[in-house]
Amino acid sequence: MAQRGTGPQKGSEKGAAGPGPVVDDPRNLRNVVVVGHSGVGKTTLVEALLAATGTIDRAGTVTDGSTVCDADPAAVRQQRSVNLAVAPVLVGDTKINFLDTPGYSDFVGELRAGLRAADAALFVVSAVDGMDAATIALWDECAAVGLPRGVVVTRLDAARADFDETVALCQRVFGEGVLPLYLPVHGERAADAPEDAGEPVVGLIGLITQTVFDYSNGYPPAEQPAQAAHVEAIEEARNALIEGIIAESEDETLMDRYLDGEAIDEGTLIADLEKAVARGSFYPVIPVDAPSSVGLDSVLSGIVRGFPGPTEHNLPAVTDLDGSPRDPLTADPSGPLVAEVVKTTIDPYVGRVSLVRVFSGTLTPEVAVHIAGHGLAERGHPDHDADERVAHLYSPLGTALREVPRCIAGDVCAVTKSGTAETGDTISAKSDPLLIEQWQMPEPLLPVAIVAHTRSDEDALARNMARLVAGDPTLRLERNAETRQLVLWCMGEAHADVVLDRLRAGGAEIDTEPVRVALRETFAGTGAGHGRHVKQSGGHGQYAVCDIEVTPLPSGSGFEYLDKVVGGAVPHQYIPSVEKGVVNQLAAGLAAGFPVVDVRVTLTDGKAHSVDSSDAAFQTAGALALKDAAAQAGVTLLEPLDEVAVLVPDGHVGTVLSDLSSRRGRVLGTEQEPGDRTLVRAEVPATELLRYSVELRSMTSGTGSFTRHFVRYEPMPAQLADKIRAEHAAR
């Protein structure tokens, strides 16, 4: 049985009233991630479902920033979701955890977290705006892992809304098994409605039961049998639905009976439909008009009856801390404790809040647990293992936290004030520490260099940066020792804007600056250098003279130092001193302040003084000799070259190839990929890729993606090198 938790609530956020719901049987749980591109009405749908179930008193709106799921200041300002938000509702004895995700591709990390915590997906599609490539790709991704899916069609009352065409579009791009369970019923436009307004939606017709659900007098709807005109209008869609259900039925005789003219019992059809939806081979489409509550009861009923609970969903693999495999997990409240932090946020009043999906066992307060994080060191999350005590558990409702006494396998909860828990960490029993399989995150590819506005902002910047990185695995922090820049690698401009806003909100005044690419220098040819450091100012002076030859080496050879001094012209103890001076100057650079690589330096001659020569003097002479050789031979600037793999729909290949050429790229080849897509491989200078993630998205309407990795250094064109030298000289 589902029940309400007891205990205090945190904050006074919208929807915070009342205790959190508690479920003791995983079969009474549904974890549903709500996905779709930005602007289709995902948050509005969830808000309406919260109001329809009595979870909140009334539904807020995205435009006035009053929704439960979009309480983040950045979401209110941008009027779009930027965070994963959890909104649990009770439908009878069943608890549904709605996981509302951002639709903008910059916040794919939040989407991945929602998918990790979910057992089924609800795709929201606008009846006006159609479909974007990211939603199609996500559908394919869900199909690859067998995640059950349903479709909600929104904005039915908008001008140019076309439910039938939207369903046809879903069938074209999502494939077989996408069929509507209901058809919308439109009413007449009000006399004072704008000329471009659409027809209002006043009800639905159930295709299986042939029942009309009338919402004209409010929610819940009045039900009545369909009239003859309705039956005739839905005949074609009803037959298609019945045939689709029968095709998925496990009863092999059902199709023959249907083709022979037998009327199949509604109960049989509904039972087979629910089984097909649960196993992920049938995808019901439900029309919904959230502002007027049309279809909300159908969505809730479909989730409870058709979507699977945690016991029917494959769970991630688990190992011991040393990587030894363990038995597969099951959603058993009495099993070993295995939970995962799917999201971390920093609340200004509560502190660190960890959103946790419990996969096995039961998480309870005041119990010692083990927190382990492995495999994300490259993202700025060093491996760690720690024992902590969970003080309190909460059921999150947007940003509101309602205390609960336990969280069983399959449920989602929040844990506060953990000292070490980060996104992706595993929570397990202290006596039996385990590690859950990592989920894949895309690589951030947009660099943003930041600096503290004043010295007094540096501490606040460091403190807030650590919190942000702990909570966002799509954010990578790089402290580049060569360029002396602090660089945030983000998913895109919108992601960068949110990150910078949160840093500033935490009390750190920051500025951005152009990102500098770490270049290299090398000798353009062979050169001889003479270094003379002679000073006499009373007492011990300084005396060192050395002659060197510098020869460029093939790329990647590094640095070589040879001693060919004869006759003791440079005393043995000072030969390493010359090398040290040369090495220090190589690191400092010769033309533009970048390290010098791939050279051989040979010490050929020199002079020393019995009293005034010293280690420091010969270091200085070695550096001077290197500079002299560089002036004679010339210095070439080298830039890093990356290999990029750009995946785009076939229709954008020409645009991408032309753009890569304009970036001084060399195309290595193309490969045909499934889904009418092409993979373009090319070598491109890293200096040309600083904003490529943004520009690729623009030129491909958001359908392109790419990866990159360093290959080697190559000489930079003379005109660009001269510009960099001039900038260095001006500093």
Side-chain angles (χ1 to χ4, degrees), residues 169-209:
L169 172 65
C170 291
Q171 292 169 340
R172 288 196 300 271
V173 299
F174 291 160
E176 297 180 356
V178 179
L179 289 167
L181 302 185
Y182 305 84
L183 296 182
V185 177
H186 290 274
E188 295 183 0
R189 289 193 306 177
D192 58 350
E195 291 186 4
D196 60 349
E199 296 179 343
V201 180
V202 297
L204 300 179
I205 304 176
L207 296 181
I208 294 179
T209 62

Side-chain angles (χ1 to χ4, degrees), residues 190-485:
D192 58 350
E195 291 186 4
D196 60 349
E199 296 179 343
V201 180
V202 297
L204 300 179
I205 304 176
L207 296 181
I208 294 179
T209 62
Q210 301 184 92
T211 300
V212 175
F213 300 87
D214 184 2
Y215 296 82
S216 57
N217 292 321
Y219 182 91
E223 299 181 23
Q224 59 187 23
Q227 302 301 310
H230 287 142
V231 172
E232 183 179 349
I234 68 172
E235 181 179 7
E236 182 178 349
R238 185 173 189 269
N239 290 338
L241 174 61
I242 292 174
E243 291 171 8
I245 294 172
I246 293 175
E248 294 293 334
S249 175
E250 296 174 352
D251 184 350
E252 297 180 357
T253 69
L254 204 58
M255 181 61 77
D256 292 335
R257 289 157 50 194
Y258 174 73
L259 294 176
D260 288 340
E262 179 181 336
I264 307 301
D265 178 68
E266 290 178 2
T268 300
L269 290 173
I270 292 172
D272 283 341
L273 168 67
E274 292 169 353
K275 291 177 183 177
V277 172
R279 66 172 176 261
S281 60
F282 189 92
Y283 318 105
V285 181
I286 301 175
V288 171
D289 183 56
S292 60
S293 301
V294 172
L296 299 181
D297 51 324
S298 299
V299 171
L300 294 170
S301 174
I303 290 172
V304 171
R305 299 179 62 177
F307 279 175
T311 58
E312 303 170 78
H313 185 57
N314 292 330
L315 301 182
V318 66
T319 66
D320 290 326
L321 296 184
D322 63 3
S324 303
R326 294 286 293 263
D327 292 337
L329 296 176
T330 59
D332 181 1
S334 61
L337 176 62
V338 179
E340 184 177 34
V341 178
V342 296
K343 177 178 171 60
T344 305
T345 57
I346 306 298
D347 185 279
Y349 304 105
V350 181
R352 182 175 295 193
V353 180
S354 302
L355 183 65
V356 174
R357 162 73 192 256
V358 180
F359 289 105
S360 173
T362 300
L363 189 60
T364 55
E366 301 301 333
V367 172
V369 297
H370 184 81
I371 297 177
H374 293 225
L376 289 174
E378 293 183 356
R379 296 291 181 93
H381 304 263
D383 290 355
H384 55 274
D385 293 283
D387 293 328
E388 290 190 13
R389 183 173 296 275
V390 176
H392 300 280
L393 296 179
Y394 301 93
S395 174
L397 177 59
T399 56
L401 300 176
R402 304 164 298 169
E403 192 163 357
V404 292
R406 61 193 169 277
C407 185
I408 67 166
D411 208 350
V412 176
C413 66
V415 176
T416 59
K417 299 181 180 179
S418 169
T420 58
E422 299 182 356
T423 301
D425 281 2
T426 302
I427 300 176
S428 55
K430 180 180 177 181
S431 59
D432 187 19
L434 299 171
L435 197 62
I436 206 164
E437 180 184 41
Q438 284 290 337
W439 33 302
Q440 295 298 314
M441 297 300 298
E443 185 72 20
L445 294 168
L446 177 66
V448 179
I450 62 172
V451 292
H453 187 68
T454 65
R455 185 172 295 275
S456 61
D457 293 312
E458 291 179 354
D459 289 342
L461 174 59
R463 183 172 59 252
N464 291 321
M465 186 61 64
R467 293 173 178 175
L468 282 178
V469 173
D472 188 351
T474 64
L475 179 67
R476 179 162 59 87
L477 177 64
E478 175 189 341
R479 292 181 174 86
N480 194 309
E482 294 184 24
T483 63
R484 295 181 290 279
Q485 285 188 309

Side-chain angles (χ1 to χ4, degrees), residues 1 44 115 126 143 181 256 292 322 347 357 361 414 443 492 501-502 506 525 551 555 559 572 588 628 664 673 685:
M1 295 290 290
T44 300
L115 289 171
S126 166
L181 302 185
D256 292 335
S292 60
D322 63 3
D347 185 279
R357 162 73 192 256
E443 185 72 20
D501 281 353
R502 288 175 178 164
T551 306
S555 178
F559 168 68
H572 180 72
D628 186 47
R664 300 187 284 124
E673 295 289 323

Side-chain angles (χ1 to χ4, degrees), residues 101-190:
T101 64
Y104 198 63
S105 55
D106 276 17
F107 307 107
V108 65
E110 305 291 323
L111 170 63
R112 298 288 175 189
L115 289 171
R116 181 67 161 194
D119 301 309
L122 197 62
F123 280 73
V124 182
V125 180
S126 166
V128 179
D129 301 322
M131 195 93 59
D132 72 334
T135 303
I136 299 171
L138 181 59
W139 180 278
D140 294 338
E141 185 177 328
C142 291
V145 297
L147 192 70
R149 284 145 282 160
V151 179
V152 166
V153 178
T154 60
R155 301 192 64 196
L156 297 170
D157 61 344
R160 300 180 293 105
D162 191 329
F163 177 75
D164 293 338
E165 176 54 34
T166 303
V167 171
L169 172 65
C170 291
Q171 292 169 340
R172 288 196 300 271
V173 299
F174 291 160
E176 297 180 356
V178 179
L179 289 167
L181 302 185
Y182 305 84
L183 296 182
V185 177
H186 290 274
E188 295 183 0
R189 289 193 306 177

Side-chain angles (χ1 to χ4, degrees), residues 1-2 23-30 90 93-96 309-310:
M1 295 290 290
V23 173
D24 290 320
D25 187 341
R27 292 174 296 182
N28 290 336
L29 284 167
R30 302 290 185 272
L90 279 177
D93 290 338
T94 301
K95 176 185 178 185
I96 304 174

Side-chain angles (χ1 to χ4, degrees), residues 16 75 83-84 140 185 193 240 256 314 432 455 537 570 665 675 680 696 724:
N83 281 329
L84 169 69
D140 294 338
V185 177
D256 292 335
N314 292 330
D432 187 19
R455 185 172 295 275
S537 58
V570 177
V680 180
L696 176 65
I724 290 175

